Each structure stands twice: as structure tokens, then as C-alpha cells.
Amino acid sequence: MAQKTAADKTNAPTMKRTVKDSVFTNLFADPKYLIKLYRALHPEDKKTEEKDIENVTIKNILTDQQYNDLGFRIGNTVLLLLEAQSTWTVNIVVRIMMYLMQTYNDYCTENGLDLYGAKKVELPKPELYVIFTGERKNHPEYISLKDEFWDGDAVVDAKVKVIYDGQPGDIINQYVTFTRVANDQIKKYGRTQKAAEETIRICINEDVLADYLKEKEVEVMDIMTALFDEEEVLRRHYLSIERENSEKIARNMLAKGRMSIDEIAEYTGLSVPEVEKLTNLELV
């Protein structure tokens, strides 16, 4: 195999910032891993088989992309919705409630259930989960809709169970371990193809999602690498907006003439030369 040139390395794909979520949805789109997830959540159920599970993850009709991370149903008895999160936010309980209502709407439509009729309809019991891969700190075991948003004073409520590690060796624990290995490799190599390659190599060697990674190594590499980094573009956009706001504040301060250039620079976060440049523009 020919060695990569410096230009090749410069133009090498960078790791997507959505890597963990993308691998999560790809992993559990496969029924043989989805049943492992269900058994990790319900070890007491020895009867449910792979064929009994229906994936009901909501799709975005216009783009054919997943709207929520994962939803699946066990016959007509249990409905499970899961989200993977690396950043803590209690807003997840609102999002999952929205996914739940959309999923129930789809279920009623598909099964011809009449919500306006006198007969009570039968719905699968919901179970709502977040697999959180960030630092646990003092985060709770459950996120309650009414407690978080209305101090417990509300008729409507929903509780999302937060899973941090899973049980040793189960599919949840392996997924969380995968994300931590990925984070370690990103710290070493940045968001590069090298980080993706090392993540896969280490996880296979340590028997973490090994079968999945061996079977779908090329596909996982495609997921983990991309030339276009959406989050980086978004980050730059926000920085641009922040800079525009800082420059606007600096111009107002210059117009009032009550602060020195050094003071304006310290207040706005702009450099002294940047403020001086604004001064020159004001004089033009």
C-alpha cells in the first residue's frame, strides 16, 4: 500500500462530532443488537425473541433521516423510546414526550384505533430512557417533567430513566465504553480518521462491540469520518455572531468616548488592534 503524502493527510476526513449518536442508531438498527438492548433493560423477560421486536423509530419524511434516536415495540404491550446524550439537559424529557405522542399517533393510525369512540383503546405501556455518556456528577436517576418544569405542581408528568453505565459486559455498557474510548482517541488525535481507526482497533481488541465492529468496520468508518463537519460550521457561525455583537458594543463605546481602547478591549473580549481598527473605521 502506498504511503500517504502530506497533502493526503491534510485532506484526510475528520471525525464527525455526531459520531456517538450515529453509531448508536446504526448499532441498534440491527435486530440482533436490538434484542440485546431489550434484554439489558428487561433481564427478567426470557420469552421475547428478536422476531417479537418492531423498530418504530420516527423518520423525517422529507429527508429520510431519523427524527429520534431509537424507538421499538414489543408486540402491543411495551413501547420503549431511547435517546443517547453526551451533554446533560433536562429538556430531553420534553423531546421524548413529543416523540412518544408522535409514536402513539402513528400506532393508532396503523391499527385503526378510534380515539373519538366510546370504547377505550389499548396502548402499549411506554418506557422512556436516556443513555447518558457524559460525566455523571450529581445527575439523577430519573428526569421528571413536572418536577423539572413546574416544581411538581402539574397534572401531567413523564419520567425518563437515565442510564449511565449499564451492567458489566451488557450491550449498554459496551456502547458507553465505546464512547469513552472514542473520546480518549479524539483527545490524542483530534477528530481525524486516525482517531476513528484507533477507536475501532482498541474496542475490537478489548471485546467492546467487537462482533458489530468486525462485521461493519467499513460502515462504521464511514459513519465516524466525514469531510464536512456540521458542528464545526455551526460553532464558527456562533462565533461570528458573537464577534458581530462585540464589535457593535465596541462601536457604541467608542462613540460615547468614555472608555479607553484598552478598557473597551477588556470589556468586549476584542483585541486592542481590533478595537483600534474599529476606531479608524469610525473616523472614515
Side-chain angles (χ1 to χ4, degrees):
M1 182 181 294
Q3 289 187 333
K4 291 184 178 180
T5 65
D8 292 332
K9 293 177 181 178
T10 301
N11 295 321
T14 56
M15 186 183 293
K16 280 179 155 182
R17 293 180 185 268
T18 56
V19 52
K20 293 182 283 296
D21 292 339
S22 298
V23 171
F24 180 85
T25 55
N26 182 267
L27 171 65
F28 295 118
D30 190 323
K32 65 175 174 285
Y33 299 113
L34 190 56
I35 184 64
K36 290 184 178 182
L37 175 60
Y38 174 71
R39 287 173 179 161
L41 296 171
H42 283 279
E44 79 287 352
D45 184 352
K46 309 297 183 183
K47 296 182 179 180
T48 297
E49 300 177 2
E50 188 178 306
K51 62 180 177 60
D52 300 320
I53 299 181
E54 180 178 355
N55 192 316
V56 293
T57 303
I58 301 170
K59 298 282 188 178
N60 185 316
I61 297 174
L62 296 178
T63 62
D64 196 32
Q65 293 178 343
Q66 288 171 324
Y67 183 55
N68 64 323
D69 282 349
L70 180 64
F72 62 99
R73 194 174 71 241
I74 310 301
N76 294 318
T77 59
V78 183
L79 171 65
L80 301 93
L81 300 183
L82 295 94
E83 295 292 303
Q85 291 282 131
S86 59
T87 303
W88 182 261
T89 173
V90 295
N91 294 333
I92 188 66
V93 68
V94 179
R95 298 208 309 268
I96 290 186
M97 274 288 287
M98 294 171 66
Y99 303 150
L100 178 62
M101 291 303 100
Q102 180 61 53
T103 305
Y104 273 145
N105 181 70
D106 294 344
Y107 178 82
C108 291
T109 300
E110 291 168 6
N111 290 276
L113 302 182
D114 182 8
L115 295 179
Y116 295 94
K119 182 180 179 182
K120 181 175 69 175
V121 301
E122 295 184 4
L123 298 173
K125 184 179 75 172
E127 295 183 5
L128 312 177
Y129 300 92
V130 170
I131 297 179
F132 183 68
T133 59
E135 294 184 20
R136 176 162 188 174
K137 297 182 180 179
N138 295 320
H139 298 319
E141 182 180 359
Y142 288 91
I143 304 174
S144 165
L145 181 68
K146 71 175 184 179
D147 290 346
E148 289 291 345
F149 290 88
W150 304 297
D151 294 325
D153 184 19
V155 176
V156 177
D157 192 20
K159 286 188 177 181
V160 177
K161 181 175 177 58
V162 187
I163 301 174
Y164 296 93
D165 293 302
Q167 297 300 315
D170 72 13
I171 195 74
I172 297 174
N173 179 261
Q174 290 185 58
Y175 168 73
V176 173
T177 301
F178 169 86
T179 67
R180 291 171 180 168
V181 172
N183 287 337
D184 290 342
Q185 298 312 301
I186 289 170
K187 290 177 183 176
K188 290 178 66 175
Y189 301 107
R191 297 183 181 280
T192 62
Q193 185 168 325
K194 176 67 173 177
E197 291 172 347
E198 284 299 293
T199 298
I200 292 174
R201 181 188 65 80
I202 292 170
C203 286
I204 290 176
N205 288 343
E206 296 183 2
D207 199 23
V208 173
L209 301 181
D211 291 341
Y212 164 72
L213 294 174
K214 289 176 184 176
E215 179 185 2
K216 298 189 176 182
E217 183 170 353
V218 174
E219 189 174 347
V220 172
M221 281 297 300
D222 287 342
I223 292 171
M224 294 178 71
T225 58
L227 289 171
F228 184 70
D229 189 332
E230 294 178 359
E231 188 171 316
E232 180 62 18
V233 170
L234 187 61
R235 185 186 70 84
R236 291 180 182 179
H237 173 67
Y238 284 134
L239 287 176
S240 176
I241 293 175
E242 288 178 3
R243 180 180 177 81
E244 288 177 5
N245 290 336
S246 295
E247 289 180 351
K248 183 177 180 180
I249 293 170
R251 285 193 182 95
N252 290 335
M253 290 178 168
L254 287 168
K256 292 178 180 178
R258 296 176 183 173
M259 298 176 68
S260 69
I261 288 178
D262 287 343
E263 289 172 330
I264 293 174
E266 182 177 357
Y267 183 87
T268 61
L270 298 172
S271 67
V272 170
E274 287 171 335
V275 177
E276 290 175 340
K277 184 177 180 180
L278 292 175
T279 303
N280 294 332
L281 291 174
E282 292 292 322
L283 294 175
V284 174

